[in-house]
Amino acid sequence: MVATDLPEGHPDKINPYCWCVAEPNGYLVEMVEDLSDVEDREGLLLNSNSKKLLTTFGKLA
């Protein structure tokens, strides 16, 4: 999976803890960063319960 900024025009674009994730199946989803244990982690940890399909953009070609 690859995480990047949300696309321009997305309502949550201003939220620095909200990410656009490209899944191996080609779908784009929105996920929120998990901030529960920020001191002991390395890298980006996303909350899998926050996963929402980016319906405006759907699937990569």
Side-chain angles (χ1 to χ4, degrees), residues 3-6 11-20 31-35 41 44-46:
T4 188
D5 293 334
L6 287 169
D12 289 325
K13 175 83 172 159
I14 60 171
N15 182 348
Y17 304 108
C18 204
W19 297 89
C20 174
M31 293 180 78
V32 177
E33 194 170 339
D34 184 350
L35 301 173
R41 70 173 182 180
L44 180 63
L45 179 62
L46 298 172

Side-chain angles (χ1 to χ4, degrees), residues 15-58:
N15 182 348
Y17 304 108
C18 204
W19 297 89
C20 174
V21 177
E23 295 188 313
N25 61 9
Y27 284 98
L28 297 176
V29 295
E30 174 185 340
M31 293 180 78
V32 177
E33 194 170 339
D34 184 350
L35 301 173
S36 62
D37 191 13
V38 293
E39 290 184 22
D40 294 332
R41 70 173 182 180
E42 293 181 21
L44 180 63
L45 179 62
L46 298 172
N47 182 339
S48 60
N49 294 329
S50 70
K51 185 189 282 190
K52 294 188 297 189
L53 183 63
L54 284 174
T55 54
T56 306
F57 303 95

